[in-house]
Amino acid sequence: DVKVTQSSRYLVKRTGEKVFLECVQDMDHENMFWYRQDPGLGLRLIYFSYDVKMKEKGDIPEGYSVSREKKERFSLILESASTNQTSMYLCATSIGQGGNEQFFGPGTRLTVL
Amino acid sequence: GNSVTQMEGPVTLSEEAFLTINCTYTATGYPSLFWYVQYPGEGLQLLLKATKADDKGSNKGFEATYRKETTSFHLEKGSVQVSDSAVYFCALSDLEEGGNQFYFGTGTSLTVIP
């Protein structure tokens, strides 16, 4: 079974702090994704990556950056956290191309005070 | 462009009732269609999928048929249980875009009461 783990289930940070959210997968999947989930808005794609050191902007990249130095690890960085970044963050992975299933981690609920 | 529209919730049903959650889509190419389920406190997990027109996906008593003529992929279950209480997301991936990026609906919350 694919396992996708996220570094924290709950995180509380202060405005202006730099925040790192980490996602690790154990199935050698090429593709990794970061979403945020907000009530009434569903899932919105922040960034994704097709390969090591490659990244693509999603629908809402502003205020975020990402890093993928190793195939199994995809980090989401909030350079200067703001209260409007309080949300549930979900990491997902998939293999290859062609509409393959995305596998999700359990999510990190981030609160920015 | 690509988008998914699903019925707004929340939906509350009694145990053993029939469930339908509507989902319609817009796609520029040849989408694969998915239903994901999110149980409280967990990430999303795939419930079922269909990759071409007239395909029926099914799992755990849930079914959905890919209808190209109506651009729909409605989720149905004949008899819901309390354990089906969750949020359900309809999604598509467009093979013309390489199929890696998913487009999700806003989610429909289902509560089943005994």
Side-chain angles (χ1 to χ4, degrees):
Chain A
D1 279 354
V2 174
K3 189 156 187 186
V4 183
T5 58
Q6 295 184 228
S7 48
S8 305
R9 292 299 300 270
Y10 300 94
L11 206 52
V12 180
K13 295 292 182 181
R14 297 209 174 271
T15 301
E17 281 192 77
K18 191 169 186 175
V19 182
F20 293 86
L21 303 181
E22 196 160 73
C23 176
V24 179
Q25 51 109 351
D26 67 356
M27 283 300 291
D28 205 35
H29 284 182
E30 294 89 343
N31 310 312
M32 298 188 76
F33 307 82
W34 275 108
Y35 296 91
R36 63 177 283 177
Q37 181 182 7
D38 300 289
L41 297 176
L43 274 71
R44 293 181 291 168
L45 182 64
I46 305 172
Y47 268 98
F48 58 105
S49 169
Y50 290 148
D51 203 348
V52 175
K53 296 192 185 297
M54 295 185 67
K55 59 185 179 183
E56 298 281 344
K57 292 180 180 179
D59 300 319
I60 52 163
E62 296 79 18
Y64 303 93
S65 62
V66 290
S67 172
R68 191 161 181 206
E69 296 296 318
K70 294 185 178 181
K71 191 173 185 179
E72 67 270 18
R73 196 177 297 265
F74 192 35
S75 300
L76 179 70
I77 303 153
L78 287 65
E79 295 290 343
S80 178
S82 63
T83 55
N84 63 13
Q85 293 178 309
T86 292
S87 187
M88 170 70 88
Y89 289 88
L90 294 168
C91 175
T93 75
S94 70
I95 190 167
Q97 293 191 0
N100 294 314
E101 172 188 357
Q102 289 193 1
F103 295 85
F104 283 81
T108 295
R109 184 163 293 283
L110 172 67
T111 301
V112 183
L113 302 175
Chain B
N2 296 310
S3 66
V4 173
T5 302
Q6 61 181 103
M7 67 184 274
E8 303 234 347
V11 174
T12 302
L13 294 173
S14 297
E15 208 165 19
E16 299 184 3
F18 184 86
L19 169 71
T20 300
I21 301 178
N22 290 337
C23 172
T24 57
Y25 67 89
T26 302
T28 54
Y30 305 97
S32 293
L33 301 173
F34 304 80
W35 276 101
Y36 279 81
V37 58
Q38 184 180 35
Y39 298 104
E42 299 183 12
L44 279 68
Q45 53 186 275
L46 181 68
L47 181 59
L48 52 85
K49 71 176 185 180
T51 57
K52 62 184 187 295
D54 299 324
D55 268 2
K56 179 187 282 189
S58 61
N59 186 24
K60 298 181 182 179
F62 291 89
E63 293 183 340
T65 301
Y66 187 145
R67 302 279 189 205
K68 191 175 180 183
E69 63 276 12
T70 54
T71 61
S72 65
F73 192 55
H74 304 321
L75 182 69
E76 296 182 335
K77 187 175 185 183
S79 176
V80 293
Q81 305 300 314
V82 172
S83 57
D84 294 327
S85 297
V87 181
Y88 293 81
F89 291 90
C90 185
L92 74 82
S93 70
D94 189 340
L95 297 183
E96 226 172 61
E97 290 185 348
N100 289 314
Q101 189 167 348
F102 273 46
Y103 299 86
F104 287 88
T106 54
T108 302
S109 175
L110 169 67
T111 300
V112 180
I113 54 177

